Amino acid sequence: MKELGNATFENYIGLTQGFNEMAYQMVAHVLTLGYAVMLAGLFYFILTIKTVAPRYRTSSVLSVVVMVSAFLLLYAQAENWTSSFVFDKEQGKYFLGQGADLFNNGYRYLNWLIDVPMLLFQILFVVTLTKSDFSSIRNQFWFSGTGMILTGYIGQFYEVTNLTWFAIWGAISTAFFIHILFLMKKVINEGKEGIPAAAQKNLDTIWLLFLVSWMLYPGAYLMPHLLGIEGGLFNESGVVGRQITYTIADVSSKVIYGVLLTNVAQILSKSEGYVEANT
């Protein structure tokens, strides 16, 4: 057990009791679904970029950046899963392969380190801030977004070996997260002023989506201790639950969020008299 050091608890399961066929395949499939949805989102944002007025297109460009980043790094995450565990015919389970790389959720954190600032910046290129300073909000988004991901990244290495540090780093990450929620609510409230009712309704939906989808991430962070570790034993349901939760959160906070922002930009473009050129 000690030889794994600060590895995530997926590896401890793979070293000891192994994954049954269903659990292993469910994780493999949900990881594949994650990067496939990002690829579909990439095509959507490329094809709809000219449906909004030029002033709003930076948001669409940022969505494209997010989709490329998410596709590549989630693909690497899926490959990491399939290369880390090997099927043992005698026991009928998947175990950590001898000499294989450890499975690491760090690929997701690398993805978020790129995507979180982009996702937060996106809305600033769609709404008009009536009271706050654009540069100040942008810088605060970057600072808290980056701080949230880096501290969460460090904390996840201690989820098995040191629960105190796991909790401390998680708490620091949560403080940054709360600040982001405060800023997003302020941006949406200001952005709703003086725009068409349909766009206001979409911004309300974006706030609800943002609140729910981003709350899934701390839940997935804690998943080993919510579902996976029982009386010192490692339960594979925590692994499946975490990867499903992360994937739902990623699809919601990146793809659906981007589609809703595009819709707001389309409504605002139309209200300003923009007509898409037929080319």
Side-chain angles (χ1 to χ4, degrees), residues 15-235:
L15 183 66
T16 55
Q17 69 251 36
F19 293 96
N20 66 46
E21 177 73 17
M22 180 179 291
Y24 175 85
Q25 293 297 343
M26 286 180 70
V27 172
H29 294 160
V30 78
L31 289 173
T32 301
L33 175 65
Y35 72 73
V37 172
M38 299 305 160
L39 184 59
L42 172 63
F43 285 108
Y44 172 83
F45 294 119
I46 290 174
L47 293 173
T48 59
I49 195 167
K50 289 188 177 180
T51 65
V52 302
R55 63 176 291 199
Y56 301 117
R57 289 179 187 170
T58 301
S59 179
S60 296
V61 171
L62 290 175
S63 277
V64 170
V65 173
V66 167
M67 293 301 104
V68 171
S69 165
F71 169 76
L72 293 175
L73 286 165
L74 292 180
Y75 179 81
Q77 179 88 87
E79 289 293 297
N80 183 209
W81 174 261
T82 56
S83 64
S84 295
F85 303 103
V86 177
F87 186 69
D88 186 309
K89 292 182 179 179
E90 292 184 3
Q91 299 186 64
K93 289 188 174 183
Y94 287 85
F95 288 88
L96 192 63
Q98 197 167 28
D101 288 338
L102 296 179
F103 179 74
N104 194 332
N105 286 299
Y107 288 106
R108 287 195 185 270
Y109 285 88
L110 292 175
N111 173 227
W112 297 330
L113 192 60
I114 298 169
D115 289 355
V116 164
M118 300 297 102
L119 292 167
L120 296 173
F121 294 165
Q122 270 186 265
I123 196 168
L124 298 178
F125 292 99
V126 174
V127 305
T128 298
L129 299 177
T130 56
K131 302 180 182 67
S132 302
D133 178 70
F134 178 94
S135 296
S136 174
I137 295 293
R138 180 198 60 201
N139 293 340
Q140 289 182 72
F141 269 153
W142 178 86
F143 176 78
S144 288
T146 303
M148 178 182 69
I149 299 306
L150 288 177
T151 51
Y153 174 76
I154 296 170
Q156 53 110 22
F157 286 108
Y158 296 102
E159 66 183 20
V160 175
T161 58
N162 193 319
L163 297 185
T164 300
W165 281 113
F166 176 71
I168 289 172
W169 286 111
I172 297 171
S173 182
T174 301
F176 286 119
F177 172 57
I178 292 172
H179 184 229
I180 290 171
L181 291 180
F182 169 78
L183 291 174
M184 181 60 75
K185 183 60 174 172
K186 178 191 286 190
V187 167
I188 288 177
N189 285 344
E190 291 185 26
K192 287 167 60 179
E193 296 180 15
I195 65 174
Q200 292 183 23
K201 185 177 179 180
N202 271 346
L203 285 177
D204 284 334
T205 302
I206 286 172
W207 168 243
L208 181 60
L209 174 76
F210 188 90
L211 187 62
V212 172
S213 62
W214 282 53
M215 285 295 291
L216 292 175
Y217 289 106
Y221 180 84
L222 294 171
M223 197 67 73
H225 305 284
L226 296 176
L227 292 178
I229 301 178
E230 300 174 355
L233 297 175
F234 297 94
N235 190 329

Side-chain angles (χ1 to χ4, degrees), residues 11 204 239:
N11 298 288
D204 284 334
V239 176

